[in-house]
Amino acid sequence: MRPKSAEVRTVVLLSLGFGLVGIDRFLISTLYPVIARDLRLNYGDIGLITGALAIAWGISALFMGNLSDRIGRRRVLTISLIVFSLLIGASGLATGLLTLIAVRVVMGFADGAYTPVSIAGTLAASPAGRRGLNIGIQQMMLPLFGLGLAPLFVAGVLRFIEWRLVFLIFVIPGLLLAFYVWRTIPSGAASSNPEPRQSWSDWKTVLSFSNVRVAALLMLCWLTCLITTSAFMPNYLVDHLKLRPEQMGVVMSAIGLGATVGTLLLPWLSDKVGRKPVMALSSIGVLVALLLLVNTGDSVVILFTFLFLVHFFNNALIALTVGPLCIEAVPASLMATASGLVIAVGELFGGGLAPVIVGRVAQRFGIEHVLWLPIVVMGAGFLLCLAIKNSQLGAPLAAEQA
């Protein structure tokens, strides 16, 4: 396979897989108002379900990212695709809070295994001048599928089928994708070093790099914003602003559409002007848009616009943080380890703890207060961006990997 052809095929397959991860994770968000009525869930329960998946995702990313650096990417990618394709269908079989949490936890382990390995695979297949562009393409598929198209799809199909059947639609596409990933992605281990390696030693090594430490804290901020807005905005719009379900679906699609455009354009721009200036300005953009959003009434157009801007900047920050910012700082044999560690910190605290806190706040004080936590952490995120050390644009990775 020619290098350009291998690059295109790898990026396309890993991007489609990440789109399925997006559906896996966020399809349920748009369904929460319906599921909550059927299974008698409250805001605190929604926070627990969301947080449980994120915690499993973070733990899995930490260990499976490191494992793939030692045994190779193909097995990890294929098995994770098969598992979460089957489990997305199982979400529709839940009969109560505990069974839904159990399914989402196992799904989180599969999604978390796929994420850092696919990021490392995308960057390993990319020439230096297209790392930002290619990681933007790969990362944009999660918001495009999970947060952009899924809300519109759900708003349409719920008029014809019950919510349990919606999950089953995506099982077969996921299994087909797993087959093609097995056929396409190289099977060799990422490292040619014959010496045995320990996970703890690898984590200690990647944490010795300043940008990895900063990236881990930044990921906590970005995921707090992403998970809080995606999980609680449907109820915020329906219960607080009294929008109709179809209006809510339109507004929620702004998350995915804004994230898709931003994740494609801003990492590409960072290839030209540097990671640090793009990330610092983007964090200001999220903060301003959130402040405008929290003071907006029930206008669908204005809500759509501000929510679009929040995720235009925020998802670009996520892509740059788990991709070029941390991976360009470490040896090539530790790419997935670095990305997995950064994802783990973000998921365990920003994705796991934050929605539980917000859910309790919403249950006790009202759903209208859910946006204040992301506002606070985005201010902290801007200050952390100032500590980023600019990497050398276009610098080769330490060693290209199979």
Side-chain angles (χ1 to χ4, degrees), residues 36-337:
R37 287 195 299 269
D38 196 0
L39 301 184
R40 299 184 179 181
L41 307 177
N42 58 37
Y43 298 139
D45 296 332
I46 292 174
L48 285 174
I49 295 165
T50 304
L53 181 141
I55 290 170
W57 188 309
I59 294 171
S60 179
L62 182 65
F63 287 96
M64 299 307 290
N66 179 251
L67 180 65
S68 76
D69 277 336
R70 290 184 279 128
I71 70 170
R73 300 185 187 106
R74 185 172 72 172
R75 280 177 285 179
V76 176
L77 290 169
T78 304
I79 293 172
S80 61
L81 278 168
I82 292 171
V83 172
F84 69 64
S85 296
L86 294 175
L87 286 174
I88 192 172
S91 295
L93 303 177
T95 57
L97 176 62
L98 292 181
T99 54
L100 190 54
I101 288 177
V103 171
R104 301 297 286 178
V105 164
V106 181
M107 186 183 296
F109 280 115
D111 290 341
Y114 182 87
T115 302
V117 185
S118 67
I119 291 167
T122 299
L123 290 177
S126 304
R130 288 199 293 272
R131 286 182 203 145
L133 174 63
N134 283 351
I135 200 64
I137 292 171
Q138 194 248 354
Q139 289 285 294
M140 80 172 186
M141 299 301 280
L142 181 147
L144 175 62
F145 280 66
L147 294 167
L149 300 179
L152 298 175
F153 175 78
V154 167
V157 300
L158 279 180
R159 292 181 292 178
F160 307 104
I161 61 176
E162 65 168 328
W163 65 266
R164 296 179 184 277
L165 299 178
V166 175
F167 291 101
L168 296 174
I169 297 172
F170 302 99
V171 175
I172 298 301
L175 296 177
L176 289 174
L177 186 62
F179 171 76
Y180 284 107
V181 165
W182 178 261
R183 291 280 303 271
T184 303
I185 303 299
S187 60
S191 175
S192 58
N193 185 359
E195 295 294 324
R197 290 162 46 185
Q198 300 296 321
S199 295
W200 178 253
S201 176
D202 287 349
W203 295 329
K204 184 177 179 181
T205 299
V206 298
L207 281 172
S208 69
F209 295 92
S210 172
N211 273 3
V212 174
R213 298 193 299 271
V214 173
L217 295 175
L218 287 173
M219 193 60 176
L220 185 158
C221 300
W222 314 151
L223 276 186
T224 296
C225 179
L226 171 64
I227 302 304
T228 300
T229 53
S230 60
F232 291 96
M233 277 305 291
N235 290 89
Y236 178 91
L237 297 171
V238 172
D239 299 339
H240 174 54
L241 297 181
K242 307 302 180 184
L243 298 188
R244 299 189 304 274
E246 59 270 23
Q247 291 177 310
M248 178 271 289
V250 171
V251 174
M252 286 299 295
S253 70
I255 297 179
L257 298 176
T260 299
V261 178
T263 305
L264 181 62
L265 293 182
L266 295 181
W268 168 80
L269 180 62
S270 78
D271 279 339
K272 312 299 181 184
V273 303
R275 316 299 183 201
K276 183 174 182 176
V278 171
M279 294 183 70
L281 292 174
S282 294
S283 64
I284 294 174
V286 179
L287 182 59
V288 172
L290 280 170
L291 288 169
L292 293 170
L293 181 64
V294 79
N295 291 292
T296 298
D298 60 359
S299 169
V300 171
V301 173
I302 298 176
L303 287 166
F304 181 97
T305 301
F306 291 152
L307 198 56
F308 181 98
L309 290 174
V310 167
H311 291 277
F312 175 88
F313 293 112
N314 191 66
N315 267 71
L317 288 166
I318 292 173
L320 286 167
T321 302
V322 300
L325 180 63
C326 67
I327 284 180
E328 288 176 341
V330 303
S333 60
L334 293 172
M335 289 196 300
T337 299

